[in-house]
Amino acid sequence: MSNPEWLKNAVFYEIYPQSFCDSNGDGIGDFPGMTSKLDYVKSLGCNAIWLNPCFESPFQDAGYDISNYYKVAPRYGTNEDLKHYIDEAHARGIRVVLDLVAGHTSIECDWFKQSCKVERNKYSDYYIWTKGWDRASTNYRTINGYSDRSGNFLINFFYCQPELTYGFYAVEDPEWQLPMDHPEVMKVREELRNIMKFYLDMGCDGFRVDMAASLIRGEKQYEGLKILWHDYRTWMNENYPEAVLISEWSIPEKSINAGFNVDFLVHFGLPGYTSLFRQEPERVPNSPYAGQGKRSFFDRDGKGDAELFVNEVLDQLDKMQGKGYMSIPTGNHDFGRIRQGRTLEELKVVYTAIFTFPGVPFLYYGDEIGMDYVYGLKSKEGGYNRTGARTPMLWDDTEKAGFSTADEKDFYLPLGEKSSRVSVASQEKDPNSLLNFTRRLIAIRRKYAALGGEGEFHPLFVRKNTYPMIFERKLGNERFVVAVNPSAQPVKGEFGVPGMENAKLMISCGKINLICSSGASVIEADGISAAVYRVVND
Ligand code: NOJ
Ligand code: CA
């Protein structure tokens, strides 16, 4: 299946609506606020936005627990406000992708309330209920004793997120498990299609699918998921060929082959992403993703390993066969902040890699200015240790950071210590700021197809437990050579690329030198440095 053209040079910006910009002084971000910041998103060079869920919800999981799929949460505005946001984004050449929470609803959803009833009704089989209230009857995660209905419901994540039924690929217990093609199951499948249709008709450009791999039960190799997502993608291709499906699955070879356009390489799928950024050393307080003795490649101590990641990327690219894209994001609302344990200069090195890697990059709001994780916060809306990465956007250096006019005590979350704050306003003024460096990187990526989704990826100097990492992106007669040295030590790497002596330096940070002699090129990189070179061979 083909991908829409626009995806080839897409750079996404992820927005957590609660924390972006509050327009009415209630301390919570909203659509008018987000609309007022569209020019800012455009100024970054991002041409697409992923919005975390913005639908009616009791917010026991920050909106990933939806009570009404067809209605925007009043705290963010109205359906008209969402439509206006999409229209205004489009007017600026920016696509808007919404979050599709396909696998579960909130316990407050009317469908679930109906499903809890003893009397059979339209919604009785919308969720997966075991037979009888005895909990021993299944190994699936269930909640018992919730309603008069004699049965326990399966949950997908928190206790308050009952699992919608998309059927069992192989039915083990016919007493309560329905097969994928059962008419009652097909009703849920249709409901999800209706939800998609509702927002696609409103103008949205596709969906990031929450827990995309969680929908089918009783399968071993994602056989059922493949049928399900292939069906939705075929329908979208026929009716909304410009729209995209992005999965939270984290095994691109599986998800792309099941019909998704993009999949994230993140924490719970394969180990490569984690090996780059998320195995923080002891000096990072309460590092939520500390590896057991392992170290990130992007760390000044220089004890990481780029090989694990690069081999994984090559393997995934090979198995994806060009059918879609992987995404290596700067972070998201489920992680610590990439800033943790890193300086702003170190982040320039990280972003040089992220914005030249293959696939479709995602920038998590605030990462462009190096917002830090805010420590010591009480869990908010089911955030737990994710809460510190969901704090309000720091727009300026005033008391309230330009986020809201409310009292700070009424903010969705506190802004964090003054001493560790960064801001858009201060970085706007500095041509060497992380913000402006990130803008230049994104502009380069968007300008040259070799750096986009179609460009080939070849390692040039990638060795076990060795720095720097040097790789090539290539399309036609155009090549880019990218070198990054996140370690604090000066290092060298040798490689061979034809025409390197005519290479043009596109962007760099720290001190880095390219030395070319007959046949071989050497990059001498000071500690914390990175560079992107462009070579055109006629
Ligand atoms: C993944 C989402 O990213 C996360 O924030 C949420 O808590 C779970 N899915 C459950 O929907
Ligand atoms: Ca508000």
Side-chain angles (χ1 to χ4, degrees), residues 10-177:
V11 177
F12 274 80
Y13 191 69
E14 179 193 343
I15 295 178
Y16 186 74
Q18 288 89 320
S19 294
F20 204 53
C21 182
D22 171 26
S23 74
N24 62 352
D26 66 356
I28 300 184
D30 47 50
F31 273 111
M34 286 191 280
T35 308
S36 72
K37 297 296 184 187
L38 279 168
D39 286 331
Y40 170 74
V41 176
K42 188 172 168 66
S43 82
L44 298 173
C46 294
N47 58 348
I49 289 169
W50 157 30
L51 275 189
N52 289 120
C54 54
F55 312 105
E56 196 185 83
S57 163
F59 294 102
Q60 287 170 282
D61 184 14
Y64 281 96
D65 50 327
I66 298 176
S67 52
N68 185 346
Y69 280 77
Y70 297 96
K71 190 170 171 232
V72 163
R75 73 186 199 182
Y76 301 137
T78 61
N79 285 17
E80 287 66 44
D81 291 331
L82 168 58
K83 166 132 186 36
H84 180 65
Y85 181 71
I86 294 172
D87 291 345
E88 288 293 312
H90 287 173
R92 290 164 177 79
I94 300 171
R95 312 267 171 168
V96 179
V97 162
L98 299 174
D99 218 310
L100 187 69
V101 186
H104 51 269
T105 71
S106 155
I107 37 171
E108 297 300 322
C109 182
D110 192 53
W111 307 340
F112 185 66
K113 290 183 181 160
Q114 299 292 330
S115 197
C116 283
K117 291 186 175 159
V118 177
E119 301 76 29
R120 274 205 63 87
N121 60 66
K122 180 180 167 195
Y123 299 99
S124 297
D125 292 325
Y126 255 49
Y127 300 84
I128 313 177
W129 291 85
T130 62
K131 189 101 181 155
W133 61 275
D134 176 9
R135 209 169 177 165
S137 61
T138 174
N139 290 327
Y140 289 104
R141 290 202 303 148
T142 59
I143 297 294
N144 60 344
Y146 187 78
S147 74
D148 288 341
R149 177 173 174 166
S150 174
N152 306 324
F153 61 89
L154 266 61
I155 54 164
N156 214 17
F157 197 64
F158 289 153
Y159 88 95
C160 55
Q161 291 163 319
E163 193 167 315
L164 285 161
T165 182
Y166 295 90
F168 284 72
Y169 180 71
V171 170
E172 292 142 13
D173 187 345
E175 282 255 72
W176 59 273
Q177 300 175 355

Side-chain angles (χ1 to χ4, degrees), residues 284-434:
V284 180
N286 311 323
S287 168
Y289 297 97
Q292 304 84 31
K294 296 179 192 154
R295 300 293 277 272
S296 302
F297 175 74
F298 283 93
D299 186 82
R300 74 181 76 121
D301 291 351
K303 293 184 182 158
D305 180 12
E307 205 182 54
L308 178 70
F309 166 78
V310 169
N311 286 345
E312 182 178 294
V313 168
L314 291 172
D315 180 50
Q316 293 293 307
L317 286 172
D318 184 45
K319 292 176 178 156
M320 282 157 63
Q321 302 167 340
K323 291 186 206 157
Y325 307 104
M326 63 174 72
S327 173
I328 299 157
T330 62
N332 71 28
H333 61 290
D334 292 332
F335 286 119
R337 283 271 183 189
I338 198 149
R339 172 71 196 275
Q340 280 173 277
R342 298 189 178 90
T343 64
L344 297 179
E345 285 307 299
E346 287 169 346
L347 282 186
K348 288 182 181 171
V349 179
V350 173
Y351 295 173
T352 302
I354 287 189
F355 291 106
T356 57
F357 276 151
V360 179
F362 276 62
L363 175 63
Y364 182 51
Y365 85 96
D367 282 349
E368 70 276 24
I369 51 172
M371 268 173 65
D372 208 342
Y373 182 89
V374 177
Y375 290 94
L377 297 181
K378 234 171 67 187
S379 177
K380 177 87 176 181
E381 298 186 344
Y384 301 101
N385 63 354
R386 307 174 291 185
T387 305
R390 299 174 171 189
T391 56
M393 180 70 178
L394 301 171
W395 294 104
D396 61 34
D397 300 311
T398 61
E399 282 292 300
K400 297 175 183 178
F403 165 67
S404 167
T405 55
D407 265 4
E408 205 195 322
K409 68 170 180 21
D410 298 325
F411 278 20
Y412 176 73
L413 282 170
L415 299 170
E417 291 294 328
K418 276 218 176 72
S419 56
S420 52
R421 286 187 208 163
V422 289
S423 80
V424 172
S426 63
Q427 294 196 20
E428 286 279 9
K429 289 184 232 145
D430 174 5
N432 292 318
S433 65
L434 180 65

